[in-house]
Amino acid sequence: MAATSGLATIPVAASGTNWRRIGVAVAIAAALVLPWLVSDYRVFQFTLAGSYAVALLGLNLLTGYNGQISLGHGAFFAIGGYTAAILMHRLGVPYYLTILPAGAAAFIVGVLFGLPALRLENLYLALVTLSMAVATPQFLKYFDHWTGGSQGIVLRKPAAPTWLPIGNDKWLYYQMLVVLLIVFWAGSNLLAGRTGRALVALRDHPISATVMGINPVFYKTCAFGVSAMFTGIAGAMAAIATGFVAPDSFNVFLSISFLVGSVVGGIATVAGAVFGGFFIQFIPNLANDISDAAPWAIYGLFLLAFMYAMPTGIAGFIRTMAVRYAPKFRTAVGEQPTSQPGSHS
Amino acid sequence: MTQLTQQILSGVATGAIYASLALALVMIHQATESVNFAQGEMAMFSTYIAWSLVQVGTPFWIAFVLTVVISFIGGVLIERIIVRPVENAPVLSHVIVFIGLLVIFSAVAGWIFTYTVKQFPSPFPTKPLLGGAVTGHDLGVIGVTFVMLILLFLFFRFTPLGLAMRAAAQNPESARLVGIRVGWMLAIGWGLAAAVGAVAGIMVAPILFLDPHMMSGVLLYAFAAALLGGISSPGGAVLGGLIVGVLENLVGTYLIASELKLTMALALIIIVLVVKPSGLFGAHAVKRV
C-alpha cells in the first residue's frame, strides 16, 4: 500500500499492482504481529493511531482528492465519538454496534454541511470549516444533558472474552484493525475507480468535468458525506479505545493536527493517511518531553517544511523514489500525473 | 433600559476590536486575495510583547507604541520570508502556510510565556461612567479604535505610499509599470495589518485576559465581521465589526445561552456566504471562466 498508491487515482498497470499488493500484505502482516512485540500501552497507542489514520483517509478524500479544503474535521470526529459514547452510555448499546451509527450520523451532518459548501470557494470553505472547529467545544458543552457538559462521558472499556488468551488492549486493537481494513478497502476501491476519477476531475478542471457529464452537486456532496462518515467512524473508534469523550479534546487544534497529519502523510494519497496517523499519534509523545508547547511548534514547522520541500508528503516521496530507483515502477506508474496537493485552482 | 444601553455600548466597544481585526484581514485580502488565518495568533503574540514590556516597567503608552512598531516589522518580515515563496501557489498551500503560522505563534507563545492566564493592565480608568452605562475601558477602546481608523483612512487616501499600496493591490501589473515596487507594497500591507492586529490585541486583553488561546474566538467574530461587511470593503469590515459586537451582546443576553455565541457567529458566517457572499458593502466578485 505504502509503495505505490501515490498521488495517482488512476488504476496502475499490472506490475505496479503487484508491488502494491506486496506492500499491503507486508503492512497487514506487520500490523498483525505488532501487538506481540510491544507493551500494552503501546498497543493502545497504535489503536489510536489507527483511528487517526481512518480520520485522515476521510480528510484526504475530501481535501486531497476533491479539493474541498476542510480545517474542521475535528467536528466530524467529535460527532462520531459522541454518537458512540451516547449510544453506549445512555442507551446501553454494545460498543461494536455503535461504529456504524456513528458513521451514519457523521454522514448525514457531512451531507448537510456539504450542501452550502457547494457554493463556497476554497478559501471561504476553509474559513467556514475553521470556524466550525473553533465553535465545536462550546456547542458540545451547551447540550450538557446529552454530552455530560465539560465533564464529558466516561465509558467502560470493552473487555476481551474470557476464552481468548489475549489482554483487553490487544483484543481492542485487533477489532479496530478490522474496522480500519474495511474502511481502507472501501476507500481505496472508491478512489481507484470511476468515483475517484470524477472527484479528481472536479478538483482539477471543474468546468471540463461538468461538461464531460460529471454531476458536481452529487459528487461534491457525496465526497463531503463519505469523508465525514470515515472521520465519524474514526471518532467512534477513538472514543471506544480511550473510554472517554470530553468537549475540550475536540478543539480547533484537533482539526489542525488532522491537517498536519494529512500534509505530512501525503494529502492526495490513501497510504498517506496511515503515515499521517502514526505521525500525529507519536510525534507529540516524543516532543512532549521537551515542553508542553513543543509538539505544536514541531507541527507548525513540519507544515511549513513540507509545504516548501515535500508537498506530496511521505507517501508522495516514497512514490517518487520508487519511480526513480525501481525500473519496474517506471513503466507502471511513470506516466501518471504528479499533481501537487492542491494544484487545482 | 439601562441594561440595554449598557449591552449596546459594551457591544460597540468589543465590536470596535472585532472591527480592527476584521480590517487587518481585509487589508491582507485586498492585496493577496487570501485570508490570513494566523491574524488572531499574530495579534495575541504582539499582546504578549506589550505585556512583557509593561512587566519590565515600561510606561503603558510607550509599550503600546513600541509593540505596534515591532509588530509592523514582524509583519513585514513574515511576508518577505514565509509568505513570499508561496505567493503564486494554489489556495490550499496558502491555507496550509497560514495554519502553520497560526500553530507556530500559538506554540511559541505557550513556550515562552506558559499557558497560565495573565492579567493585562488597562490604561483607562476602570470606574463606570455615564451612570454605569459604560466602563472607562470601553470608552477608551472605542476612542483608540476610531483614532486608528481615521489615521488609516487618511494614510490610504492622502499619502503617496498609501495610494501606491492601493494601486499595487488593485492592479499589480499597471502599478509595476508606473514604478511601484509591488512586492514591497504587499510586505508593508502585512506590516500594517500586523500593527492593527496588535492594537486590537492590546485593547481586548484587559477584557479577555491574556493566554495563548485568547484570540481564537475573537478571530471567529472578525471573520464574521469581515464577511458581513464584505471582505473587499474596509469600511464595510468596520461596520460589520460593530454590528457583530452589538449583536453578540444582545443575542447573548436576551436570546440564547452564552455558550452558543460562537455557534451564532458560525451561523452568521454561513448565512452571509450562502445568501450574500459579497457582504453588505462588498463588490460582486465576477469570475472569468
Side-chain angles (χ1 to χ4, degrees):
Chain A
M1 180 197 301
T4 65
S5 63
L7 283 166
T9 50
I10 296 161
V12 287
S15 58
T17 312
N18 281 340
W19 277 102
R20 186 211 294 266
R21 284 200 181 125
I22 293 168
V24 172
V26 169
I28 294 178
L32 286 174
V33 180
L34 187 77
W36 304 97
L37 305 175
V38 295
S39 70
D40 273 355
Y41 181 64
R42 290 268 176 238
V43 173
F44 163 71
Q45 287 184 318
F46 279 110
T47 312
L48 270 187
S51 79
Y52 291 146
V54 172
L56 293 180
L57 182 65
L59 183 58
N60 283 1
L61 186 148
L62 184 71
T63 301
Y65 283 88
N66 196 218
Q68 302 191 67
I69 303 174
S70 169
L71 302 176
H73 256 49
F76 298 120
F77 199 75
I79 290 170
Y82 268 98
T83 308
I86 290 169
L87 283 177
M88 277 187 276
H89 188 248
R90 307 264 167 200
L91 307 174
V93 178
Y95 68 94
Y96 47 85
L97 289 183
T98 63
I99 290 178
L100 280 181
F107 177 83
I108 292 168
V109 178
V111 168
L112 291 178
F113 203 85
L115 286 174
L118 283 172
R119 297 196 50 175
L120 304 182
E121 278 183 56
N122 274 328
L123 186 66
Y124 299 108
L125 185 59
L127 197 151
V128 169
T129 47
L130 182 71
S131 310
M132 179 169 79
V134 172
T136 301
Q138 262 199 359
F139 187 77
L140 290 171
K141 282 176 200 165
Y142 179 70
F143 294 100
D144 54 356
H145 174 68
W146 287 98
T147 62
S150 40
Q151 303 298 316
I153 303 174
V154 180
L155 303 165
R156 210 152 34 84
K157 280 189 134 188
T162 40
W163 47 266
L164 262 180
I166 58 174
N168 293 347
D169 287 303
K170 289 195 185 70
W171 166 241
L172 199 60
Y173 171 88
Y174 281 119
Q175 287 176 299
M176 293 306 159
L177 184 64
V178 171
V179 176
L180 178 138
L181 290 175
I182 294 172
V183 173
F184 269 75
W185 175 73
S188 51
N189 272 350
L190 191 73
L191 289 170
R194 181 192 173 95
T195 313
R197 289 194 298 275
L199 293 181
V200 173
L202 281 171
R203 174 193 79 187
D204 290 339
H205 299 285
I207 295 169
S208 323
T210 315
V211 172
M212 303 272 289
I214 297 170
N215 180 347
V217 175
F218 175 78
Y219 278 105
K220 289 179 103 169
T221 318
C222 272
F224 228 109
V226 172
S227 167
M229 180 175 77
F230 286 176
T231 307
I233 289 174
M237 292 164 71
I240 293 168
T242 44
F244 180 58
V245 285
D248 287 320
S249 48
F250 300 105
N251 60 15
V252 62
F253 287 98
L254 176 70
S255 298
I256 292 179
S257 43
F258 286 160
L259 179 76
V260 175
S262 209
V263 169
V264 169
I267 198 161
T269 64
V270 171
V274 176
F275 300 128
F278 279 97
F279 183 86
I280 58 178
Q281 171 58 35
F282 290 105
I283 292 296
N285 276 315
L286 295 175
N288 245 333
D289 298 337
I290 310 172
S291 146
D292 275 352
W296 290 102
I298 289 176
Y299 275 6
L301 291 177
F302 265 92
L303 269 185
L304 294 185
F306 270 77
M307 218 58 265
Y308 296 136
M310 223 159 97
T312 49
I314 297 172
F317 180 72
I318 293 176
R319 204 179 73 86
T320 316
M321 288 297 117
V323 170
R324 187 173 297 167
Y325 295 111
K328 272 188 179 172
F329 253 86
R330 205 164 293 147
T331 52
V333 293
E335 283 89 27
Q336 283 179 18
T338 49
S339 60
Q340 306 262 304
S343 60
H344 42 290
S345 68
Chain B
M1 197 60 212
T2 331
Q3 196 198 13
L4 183 66
T5 356
Q6 206 176 342
Q7 291 298 337
I8 289 177
L9 279 173
S10 80
V12 171
T14 42
I17 293 163
Y18 301 154
S20 317
L21 204 63
L23 191 65
L25 290 172
V26 168
M27 284 165 66
I28 289 184
H29 183 267
Q30 291 276 57
T32 58
E33 295 282 302
S34 59
V35 171
N36 180 9
F37 292 102
Q39 197 78 58
E41 256 51 34
M42 284 164 60
M44 174 274 296
F45 200 79
S46 302
T47 315
Y48 268 109
I49 296 177
W51 179 82
S52 320
L53 288 171
V54 171
Q55 280 317 96
V56 298
T58 323
F60 184 90
W61 290 107
I62 295 179
F64 179 89
V65 173
L66 274 178
T67 305
V68 170
V69 172
I70 295 172
S71 306
F72 178 84
I73 297 170
V76 172
L77 290 179
I78 288 173
E79 202 281 336
R80 290 272 109 178
I81 297 166
I82 294 172
V83 181
R84 164 125 314 194
V86 291
E87 205 173 31
N88 297 317
V91 180
L92 181 58
S93 312
H94 283 201
V95 171
I96 290 171
V97 166
F98 289 147
I99 293 293
L101 274 176
L102 183 161
V103 168
I104 288 175
F105 273 113
S106 164
V108 172
W111 202 325
I112 302 177
F113 303 105
T114 73
Y115 289 97
T116 7
V117 179
K118 294 184 169 57
Q119 278 220 317
F120 193 88
S122 168
F124 309 109
T126 43
K127 65 169 191 286
L129 301 168
L130 301 179
V134 65
T135 66
H137 181 75
D138 284 349
L139 271 188
V141 168
I142 296 172
V144 167
T145 312
F146 279 92
V147 169
M148 181 177 78
L149 293 179
I150 290 166
L151 287 178
L152 279 174
F153 174 77
L154 296 175
F155 171 76
F156 279 111
R157 190 71 194 260
F158 295 112
T159 64
L161 183 60
L163 289 172
M165 286 175 67
R166 281 169 58 192
Q170 273 180 15
N171 194 337
E173 276 174 32
S174 306
R176 195 168 279 121
L177 286 177
V178 297
I180 295 168
R181 300 184 64 179
V182 173
W184 274 104
M185 295 304 124
L186 293 184
I188 294 173
W190 265 80
L192 277 180
V196 172
V199 174
I202 294 173
M203 289 297 123
V204 82
I207 305 173
L208 290 182
F209 300 113
L210 187 54
D211 82 303
H213 304 307
M214 175 180 80
M215 292 306 268
S216 63
V218 179
L219 185 68
L220 181 52
Y221 292 122
F223 281 158
L227 292 169
L228 180 65
I231 195 140
S232 54
S233 149
V238 172
L239 201 65
L242 296 178
I243 296 175
V244 169
V246 173
L247 207 62
E248 179 209 354
N249 264 15
L250 292 184
V251 171
T253 316
Y254 297 106
L255 284 181
I256 54 172
S258 57
E259 285 94 356
L260 285 183
K261 275 181 175 181
L262 286 175
T263 309
M264 180 210 90
L266 172 64
L268 185 66
I269 291 174
I270 294 178
I271 291 169
V272 171
L273 282 175
V274 170
V275 177
K276 197 167 181 340
S278 54
L280 295 176
F281 302 99
H284 278 281
V286 181
K287 203 170 187 183
R288 218 179 138 164
V289 176

